[in-house]
Amino acid sequence: MAIVEIRDFQKTYAGGFEALKGVTLDIEEGEILALLGPNGAGKTTLISALCGLVSPTGGQATIGGHDVVSDYRAARSLVGLVPQEIALDQFSKVADAVRFTRGLFGLPKNETLIESILRDLSLWDKRDARITTLSGGMKRRVLIAKALSHEPRVLFLDEPTAGVDVELRRDMWEIVAKLKQDGVTIILTTHYIEEAEAIADRVGVINHGELLLVEDKADLMARMGSKELRITLRAPVSEVPKALSKYALEVADGGETLVYSYDTQGEATGITALLADLAKAGLKLADLQTKQSSLEEIFVGLVGEGTT
């Protein structure tokens, strides 16, 4: 069942710039959706519009059945947002800042929950510290704690681990895994594509305000990915023998390696025939290795090399 429904969502700014060009998307309850795209692609605009921080200029979106514009309060009560920018009351104490956010949503005090969140984020020892004394990484932890304070059913993470330490990234993904177990829906934007590859259920690719695709991660990697067979030769070659031209081999590593790409979805890989023909051509093999395309390679191919 979709908890977020987006139909022809548009945002055009006063100067005529189209940040969102008719985005349509359903996000299922309890899934982790990774939104990938280069800077300026529309990721943050989409999240901001869904969270009520930016007014859409066309289309409609609902969260939990509540329209994000006409029923803003009800929709926003279901949402937790961890923004890119660190905007905090610098003189507030850590625990007080988290309690305050929970109170903004009209929820009763729950010190057990607050303690649990702060402990999960390694903030418990800093609970009485003023935010101004914290490092950048610790401040980002406070943002995450505030976003979780009202027990949201949908959590938006806009580049949550950009420029932070490895420890915070690990803590963040442990919390995400725990939230998923509890049925929370998570929409993540990230430049760390390996993170999306590791934790996402589905991947959406957005560029120039348009959603290029949304697909199950495993299906996407199988459909658009390819495998390489790297053949290390006992003696280098300067070019591919004519007898092997039908395989479209590439010469690499100064002639010591032949690279054969094949479709993972094909009925046959052609490897058996290739190896037989290599022997016929008098080429002796030292080693064979296979390599699967990564999500990053697929992403770069979709949005254009150099835009990430």
Side-chain angles (χ1 to χ4, degrees), residues 102-301:
R102 180 175 174 83
L104 285 177
F105 287 89
L107 296 175
K109 291 182 179 180
N110 187 334
E111 290 303 308
T112 301
L113 173 69
I114 299 299
E115 179 177 345
S116 175
I117 292 171
L118 293 179
R119 286 190 182 277
D120 284 345
L121 285 162
S122 303
L123 284 169
W124 184 243
D125 291 344
K126 300 284 188 181
R127 62 189 180 277
D128 293 324
R130 299 204 181 273
I131 291 172
T132 189
T133 66
L134 301 182
S135 67
M138 283 294 178
K139 288 177 181 177
R140 191 161 292 279
R141 289 172 190 261
V142 176
L143 282 178
I144 297 166
K146 285 165 64 69
L148 297 175
S149 64
H150 64 290
E151 302 166 87
R153 301 310 302 159
V154 179
L155 180 64
F156 290 97
L157 303 170
D158 195 6
E159 302 281 359
T161 59
V164 302
D165 57 84
V166 173
E167 185 180 355
L168 174 54
R169 291 172 72 180
R170 186 187 65 240
D171 289 348
M172 182 73 247
W173 303 133
E174 286 178 358
I175 289 172
V176 164
K178 190 182 299 184
L179 291 169
K180 179 178 168 61
Q181 288 179 350
D182 293 337
V184 176
T185 303
I186 296 151
I187 297 95
L188 160 76
T189 75
T190 181
H191 276 139
Y192 297 105
I193 297 179
E194 71 274 14
E195 291 180 343
E197 191 165 338
I199 70 168
D201 299 309
R202 287 196 300 159
V203 173
V205 177
I206 189 169
N207 197 23
H208 300 302
E210 297 180 276
L211 198 60
L212 302 182
L213 62 80
V214 181
E215 197 166 336
D216 179 89
K217 177 187 64 182
D219 290 346
L220 174 64
M221 293 182 70
R223 183 174 68 83
M224 300 194 71
S226 63
K227 276 192 173 179
E228 282 184 357
L229 176 67
R230 297 183 70 86
I231 305 161
T232 304
L233 304 173
R234 291 189 182 276
V237 296
S238 58
E239 60 183 16
V240 177
K242 289 184 180 179
L244 302 173
S245 59
K246 65 180 179 181
Y247 294 104
L249 297 168
E250 294 181 18
V251 179
D253 302 330
E256 293 182 354
T257 303
L258 295 177
V259 181
Y260 173 60
S261 298
Y262 59 96
D263 184 1
T264 58
Q265 300 298 291
E267 292 183 7
T269 63
I271 291 175
T272 302
L274 170 61
L275 295 179
D277 287 343
L278 283 168
K280 288 178 185 178
L283 300 180
K284 294 182 179 181
L285 282 56
D287 192 20
L288 292 175
Q289 290 182 324
T290 58
K291 175 177 175 285
Q292 174 77 46
S293 291
S294 68
L295 183 58
E296 180 163 12
E297 289 166 331
I298 294 170
F299 168 70
V300 169

Side-chain angles (χ1 to χ4, degrees), residues 1-5 62-68 71 74-75 78 153-154:
M1 178 179 177
I3 191 169
V4 180
E5 298 182 0
T62 62
I63 298 176
H66 303 288
D67 189 281
V68 299
D71 200 6
L78 299 176
R153 301 310 302 159
V154 179

